Amino acid sequence: MSLNLSFKLLPILAIVLGIASLVAPRFLNVFVAIFLIVYGLVGFGFIR
């Protein structure tokens, strides 16, 4: 069940972060870091 949520949540998150990085390119590193942390937490099952 959490796997389905991650497959729906991560593409939306990727689109939002991509648009945000276009608007504020100097914060791209922060957006990428947050995305990777969330992706890792979802992958390990800490976030459902």
Side-chain angles (χ1 to χ4, degrees):
M1 203 178 251
S2 65
L3 192 59
N4 280 337
L5 178 63
S6 67
F7 280 129
K8 292 178 183 177
L9 179 66
L10 290 177
I12 293 170
L13 183 62
I15 291 171
V16 169
L17 292 179
I19 292 170
S21 69
L22 288 174
V23 173
R26 66 182 180 165
F27 294 113
L28 178 62
N29 291 336
V30 175
F31 294 140
V32 170
I34 291 171
F35 178 77
L36 290 174
I37 290 169
V38 170
Y39 185 79
L41 291 174
V42 169
F44 281 120
F46 292 121
I47 298 175
R48 292 184 177 210

